[in-house]
Amino acid sequence: EDQVTQSPEALRLQEGESSSLNCSYTVSGLRGLFWYRQDPGKGPEFLFTLYSAGEEKEKERLKATLTKKESFLHITAPKPEDSATYLCAVQAGGKYNFNKFYFGSGTKLNVKP
Amino acid sequence: AAGVIQSPRHLIKEKRETATLKCYPIPRHDTVYWYQQGPGQDPQFLISFYEKMQSDKGSIPDRFSAQQFSDYHSELNMSSLELGDSALYFCASSLESGDTQYFGPGTRLTVL
């Protein structure tokens, strides 16, 4: 069964304290892995797309990496404005479900000044 | 840059009433997705359309229906509303079917 699991569920960091969020997946034929940031009551904001193992992408303090089983979102020297829920979504391959995205339950990040 | 537009942003309905949510995708995007997000939950995929035809179906109740029109905007019709339908409803669009999805700001539906 296709599944996406994110850990930890919640993470509290001090400003400047680097850490990583994990997204592990079991899907039949990964076509893409997506990271989103979501603020309360707002739509998910697109961050990164990763397509193949070994791929890395960076944007400001964020860096996403992908292996065959999981993805990491590394946050370097976070600031309070990085506080949000970070969602991972996986697009499964296959003949009948290539349009379906599976979301993880998210990691709620709280960065204290 | 233009983003996904959803209307209305907030909607309050009584039980058993009907509701229609609208989604206007990013220009040139031909694929639209609908999601339901309950409090503290991740978005749950409902249904998607590609080039005006339904392309995939998720956990959409039979009371709900949707379509995509010739201008690529989409509408989600919800009938016989229940208290449990109260949630944020997001629409997302992508340039091609299976490409990165960009989300709208959502419609908050409250069923009383």
Side-chain angles (χ1 to χ4, degrees):
Chain A
E1 182 183 330
D2 296 333
Q3 196 167 4
V4 181
T5 304
Q6 287 189 248
S7 62
E9 287 187 12
L11 183 61
R12 277 187 172 186
L13 298 173
Q14 287 295 130
E15 184 172 2
E17 180 187 1
S18 302
S19 187
S20 295
L21 314 182
N22 177 264
C23 171
S24 62
Y25 59 90
T26 51
V27 295
S28 51
L30 177 72
R31 294 175 66 92
L33 186 141
F34 305 81
W35 282 99
Y36 290 86
R37 168 197 170 125
Q38 187 174 27
D39 293 296
K42 296 189 177 180
E45 175 190 342
F46 170 72
L47 294 173
F48 303 109
T49 305
L50 301 166
Y51 291 107
S52 56
E55 192 175 357
E56 298 183 351
K57 289 195 176 169
E58 281 188 75
K59 179 181 177 182
E60 296 179 351
R61 295 179 293 282
L62 300 176
K63 179 180 176 180
T65 61
L66 180 65
T67 71
K68 288 186 178 180
K69 295 290 184 186
E70 58 192 348
S71 176
F72 291 94
L73 183 66
H74 307 278
I75 303 178
T76 303
K79 298 182 178 181
E81 53 262 42
D82 295 323
S83 298
T85 295
Y86 289 85
L87 294 167
C88 167
V90 165
Q91 182 189 17
K95 186 176 179 182
Y96 301 108
N97 62 352
F98 75 98
N99 272 332
K100 196 176 293 183
F101 276 53
Y102 300 91
F103 274 93
S105 53
T107 293
K108 189 171 184 179
L109 175 65
N110 186 6
V111 182
K112 298 231 171 214
Chain B
V4 176
I5 297 172
Q6 291 188 246
S7 68
R9 295 293 311 278
H10 302 272
L11 190 58
I12 299 175
K13 291 285 184 178
E14 300 278 341
K15 278 174 53 178
R16 293 180 288 277
E17 285 191 321
T18 61
T20 297
L21 278 53
K22 297 185 178 181
C23 169
Y24 298 86
I26 293 171
R28 295 190 299 117
H29 282 197
D30 56 13
T31 308
V32 168
Y33 312 79
W34 285 98
Y35 291 86
Q36 177 191 61
Q37 187 174 30
Q41 298 179 357
D42 56 285
Q44 295 295 311
F45 171 71
L46 294 178
I47 194 167
S48 63
F49 292 87
Y50 168 62
E51 282 291 342
K52 292 155 281 183
M53 295 187 65
Q54 181 183 309
S55 57
D56 206 356
K57 201 169 182 180
S59 51
I60 185 170
D62 292 339
R63 300 177 289 109
F64 295 5
S65 65
Q67 56 182 324
Q68 185 179 31
F69 295 85
S70 58
D71 64 351
Y72 295 104
H73 94 271
S74 179
E75 294 183 4
L76 177 66
N77 299 294
M78 311 159 72
S79 62
S80 302
L81 287 170
E82 301 174 356
L83 296 178
D85 296 329
S86 295
L88 270 169
Y89 290 83
F90 292 108
C91 169
S93 73
S94 64
L95 185 59
E96 293 179 355
S97 183
D99 200 1
T100 299
Q101 296 182 25
Y102 295 88
F103 283 77
T107 294
R108 182 176 292 280
L109 172 66
T110 302
V111 182
L112 303 175

